[in-house]
Amino acid sequence: MPPLRHFLRLTIALALLGTAARIPAEPAAFEAEVSALQASLQSQPIAPGAIAFAGSSSIRLWTSLPQDFPSLRTVNIGFGGAKINEVIQFAPRLLLPLKPRQVVFYCGTNDLADGESPEVVLADFKAFVSLVRETVPEVQISFISTAPNPARWHLVSQMRRFNESVAAWIATQPRMDYIDVFHPMLGEDGQPRPELFSEDRLHMNATGYALWRELVLPYLSPEK
């Protein structure tokens, strides 16, 4: 990314923290999927206080959520290819009306793959948190770390920097969790465990989601 564009993008993202404004995105490519999600949510209204799983395709493809967490009310609002920009853009249509008690969030790898720096992606995540908390101030936000996808292993240094920066920031924030899936998904050789991923080497298979279930479950809050 050119230095000037990088500087301007970071400045915009930081300026949005604590405001209701949203980072500009390109919603047209996602409109069909988001409209279908929105229609589904409206056809089967969900009472406030559920656990919303939000983010990109790794969330969208977690279709076993009801079976994995049968005692909890969960709702999946992930959509494929999303960057944090797009999650922010569509939050007023998908996430905010739910008024969830907890948001489990996985997004950022598409941002890194698109050339954004870990610092800019962190700023975008902070903007997302700020936006959600304006509507649901007491919400618990649980961030799932970037997974070590074999197809994007060339970005491992950026993934590590992003994970570390998010973890450090979350440690200073109330009602937030950092869920490390990066290290459990590595083998003894320090490489991604191939048995956890589908043939595209980007998304997880059932074994990968079973591991995520075990890692995420301790962080899910019971309904009061």
Side-chain angles (χ1 to χ4, degrees):
M1 174 185 296
L4 179 59
R5 181 186 166 202
H6 176 96
F7 173 77
L8 291 174
R9 175 63 183 274
L10 181 58
T11 301
I12 292 170
L14 289 173
L16 288 172
L17 299 182
T19 74
R22 293 180 290 283
I23 300 171
E26 298 180 5
F30 303 93
E31 183 58 40
E33 186 172 1
V34 169
S35 293
L37 265 174
Q38 189 176 16
S40 176
L41 293 173
Q42 292 172 347
S43 67
Q44 297 178 329
I46 298 170
I51 301 176
F53 283 70
S56 56
S57 56
S58 290
I59 294 295
R60 178 177 63 84
L61 296 172
W62 198 346
T63 56
S64 60
L65 283 177
Q67 293 75 43
D68 290 342
F69 309 111
S71 64
L72 300 170
R73 288 194 302 128
T74 61
V75 55
N76 189 327
I77 53 170
F79 53 99
K83 299 188 288 292
I84 297 177
N85 296 357
E86 284 82 37
V87 178
I88 291 173
Q89 182 76 35
F90 291 112
R93 291 170 59 182
L94 298 179
L95 176 60
L96 301 184
L98 296 174
K99 293 185 171 55
R101 71 176 184 276
Q102 183 173 7
V103 176
V104 179
F105 186 80
Y106 182 84
C107 199
T109 58
N110 292 325
D111 309 60
L112 296 174
D114 199 39
E116 299 290 4
S117 72
E119 292 75 23
V120 167
V121 186
L122 172 62
D124 287 356
F125 176 57
K126 290 180 179 180
F128 168 77
V129 172
S130 179
L131 175 66
V132 175
R133 289 231 160 112
E134 286 188 354
T135 298
V136 196
E138 299 301 315
V139 67
Q140 185 78 18
I141 299 178
S142 302
F143 178 88
I144 300 177
S145 74
T146 298
N149 315 85
R152 290 178 173 168
W153 192 238
H154 61 288
L155 298 172
V156 63
S157 61
Q158 292 97 313
M159 289 191 279
R160 291 185 188 275
R161 279 170 51 203
F162 178 55
N163 285 340
E164 290 167 1
S165 64
V166 173
W169 179 67
I170 284 177
T172 69
Q173 301 300 307
R175 303 181 303 283
M176 292 194 72
D177 306 303
Y178 176 82
I179 305 175
D180 178 24
V181 301
F182 185 90
H183 293 95
M185 297 180 76
L186 299 178
E188 294 182 359
D189 60 357
Q191 299 293 306
R193 293 166 54 188
E195 73 273 14
L196 301 177
F197 296 92
S198 62
E199 291 183 359
D200 66 6
R201 302 173 69 246
L202 180 62
H203 299 101
M204 290 179 297
N205 57 25
T207 304
Y209 281 111
L211 175 61
W212 271 31
R213 177 194 176 279
E214 297 304 318
L215 296 172
V216 170
L217 180 58
Y219 292 91
L220 300 185
S221 61
E223 193 161 8
K224 296 180 180 178

